[in-house]
Amino acid sequence: MVITSTTDRIYARARELDAGGEGVLSFIADLTVETEVQRFVNSVLSRAGRIDILVNNAGMAQSGRPTNSKPLMATSFAEWQNQISITLHTAFRMTRAVMPE
């Protein structure tokens, strides 16, 4: 299993999932940045050798960045675009990056 987050909290999460540390690989990556997506996928492939299943679970909030939950009418278009980038574009980037494998 491989997991990722935008902050180093991902290392603690990996230890929670696998105290022995052998079954869970963890990486810091901002999946809204295409070069980081490719770096992450390349790192996974170099360590694990393959990718069998992708769960696109990024979205809603990013650790280390403030989250302002507010009604749609109070949301600016820039805030909307940022949320779409976090939730939808990351899924597109990750799926496209792992498809060749």
Side-chain angles (χ1 to χ4, degrees):
M1 175 189 296
V2 179
I3 57 176
T4 187
S5 175
T6 55
T7 67
D8 63 359
R9 76 180 174 92
I10 200 62
Y11 303 131
R13 185 75 62 233
R15 286 189 301 277
E16 289 174 13
L17 293 169
D18 177 30
E22 297 297 318
V24 178
L25 296 175
S26 54
F27 295 89
I28 297 174
D30 182 345
L31 303 181
T32 65
V33 178
E34 192 150 5
T35 55
E36 289 198 35
V37 168
Q38 196 58 58
R39 181 184 55 83
F40 170 54
V41 170
N42 291 344
S43 294
V44 170
L45 289 172
S46 71
R47 288 212 180 146
R50 66 181 208 242
I51 298 172
D52 295 322
I53 298 170
L54 170 65
V55 177
N56 280 309
N57 195 39
M60 295 308 295
Q62 290 179 300
S63 293
R65 294 184 184 178
T67 302
N68 292 332
S69 179
K70 53 185 159 179
L72 180 64
M73 293 303 294
T75 302
S76 71
F77 187 66
E79 292 166 324
W80 171 258
Q81 287 178 309
N82 183 59
Q83 191 60 52
I84 292 296
S85 180
I86 293 170
T87 56
L88 186 58
H89 296 166
T90 57
F92 171 79
R93 286 183 184 104
M94 284 300 300
T95 301
R96 188 178 60 185
V98 303
M99 282 185 73
E101 301 308 319

